[in-house]
Amino acid sequence: MSDRSDHELAARFLDATIGLLERVRDEEADAVRAAGTLLADTVATGGRLFAFGAGHSSLPAQDLVYRAGGLALVNLLAVPGVVGVDVRPATLGSALERVDGLASAVLDTSPLRAGDALVIISLSGRNALPVEMAAKARALGVKVIGVTSVAYASETTPRNPTGTFLKDHCDVVLDSKIAVGDAVLTLDSVPAPFAPASTVVTSALLQAVLATAAGSLADRGIEPPLLRSGNVDGGHDWNRRVLDEYGDRIFYQH
């Protein structure tokens, strides 16, 4: 393939991703505002924040945790074997997403409680783990924000005993607008679609939600518990103060 066609493919991917981001900006503004307000309400009332995703959907969840410029209170709800592709074999993670009862076991042994908020990320929203986790969390009195591609609900079948999708068990749903299959490029000489955009779009969508939450807290006269980069002067001292002040709501430190 020539350098020019390589460049054209790169540009096509970036253009497709920008188009998805523009759709999210324009079409999900109300949902982003609702999700940001929900998180701000949770912080203001003493609740804790958690994020969960399985497989590659765990990447946007991890992007929210202990992040410079991010809310210090976001904790990763980790499920062993599904947090990333470090599990061997990698296919085990996909299999665990379809195990009934796993989400209930995780929540029963987690610090989640009524009054907390949980962000659940699942591109398809069809597997047992995210669906069961959302339903069980809400039953416990936890507010749930679901980040998913709503297109899967009309173009695929549920893969869990309830016959429902993640979007059916959330207080707020954020639609990433990702097409079924995720990949945004095709080429006559390549037999399968390629270049997935879900991680980029979902991460940006969630950072927009956290920015909204920070602004909502500030509007109420509450200093948002934000972290600063440890690579700027004074950053570690700033973060130490925030982590100490909110230590009872942060579970990723000793």
Side-chain angles (χ1 to χ4, degrees):
M1 185 174 290
S2 69
D3 290 341
R4 180 180 178 182
S5 59
D6 286 344
H7 173 74
E8 289 173 351
L9 284 175
R12 282 176 55 195
F13 171 75
L14 292 172
D15 287 344
T17 304
I18 291 169
L20 287 165
L21 289 170
E22 289 176 338
R23 285 191 62 196
V24 164
R25 179 197 63 199
D26 297 339
E27 299 173 20
E28 294 300 297
D30 289 344
V32 168
R33 188 177 303 110
T37 301
L38 189 157
L39 294 184
D41 290 344
T42 303
V43 173
T45 55
R48 296 87 59 81
L49 309 180
F50 295 84
F52 167 78
H56 288 95
S57 288
S58 72
L59 298 177
Q62 294 178 58
D63 189 51
L64 304 178
V65 179
Y66 191 55
R67 182 66 193 261
L71 289 176
L73 305 193
V74 182
N75 302 279
L76 185 67
L77 183 62
V79 179
V82 305
V83 173
V85 294
D86 56 335
V87 62
R88 297 291 186 275
T91 50
L92 175 60
S94 298
L96 289 174
E97 288 186 63
R98 300 191 292 271
V99 174
D100 299 336
L102 178 57
S104 293
V106 169
L107 292 177
D108 287 344
T109 56
S110 79
L112 268 164
R113 66 188 184 194
D116 292 344
L118 172 61
V119 176
I120 300 178
I121 305 159
S122 174
L123 179 61
S124 72
R126 67 194 294 235
N127 290 310
L129 184 54
V131 171
E132 180 185 335
M133 182 173 289
K136 172 84 174 193
R138 291 184 84 193
L140 294 172
V142 174
K143 296 294 186 180
V144 174
I145 297 170
V147 190
T148 187
S149 169
V150 173
Y152 277 82
S154 59
E155 299 180 36
T156 68
T157 56
R159 199 154 54 187
N160 64 85
T162 69
T164 60
F165 288 82
L166 171 60
K167 71 176 186 63
D168 301 316
H169 303 279
C170 300
D171 296 282
V172 179
V173 175
L174 297 166
D175 184 3
S176 63
K177 313 296 181 181
I178 301 294
V180 173
D182 197 353
V184 297
L185 296 184
T186 59
L187 201 62
D188 290 342
S189 58
V190 178
F194 57 102
S198 61
T199 303
V200 176
V201 175
T202 301
S203 291
L205 184 53
L206 283 171
Q207 291 298 344
V209 169
L210 262 63
T212 302
S216 180
L217 287 168
D219 288 343
R220 307 175 199 200
I222 300 172
E223 180 184 322
L226 297 169
L227 295 172
R228 290 188 173 185
S229 171
N231 295 311
V232 300
D233 292 342
H236 287 300
D237 290 338
W238 173 281
N239 292 341
R240 190 175 301 111
R241 175 184 65 82
V242 173
L243 294 174
D244 287 345
E245 182 176 352
Y246 290 94
D248 60 332
R249 294 196 249 176
I250 297 172
F251 300 93
Y252 52 79
Q253 62 175 345
H254 293 298

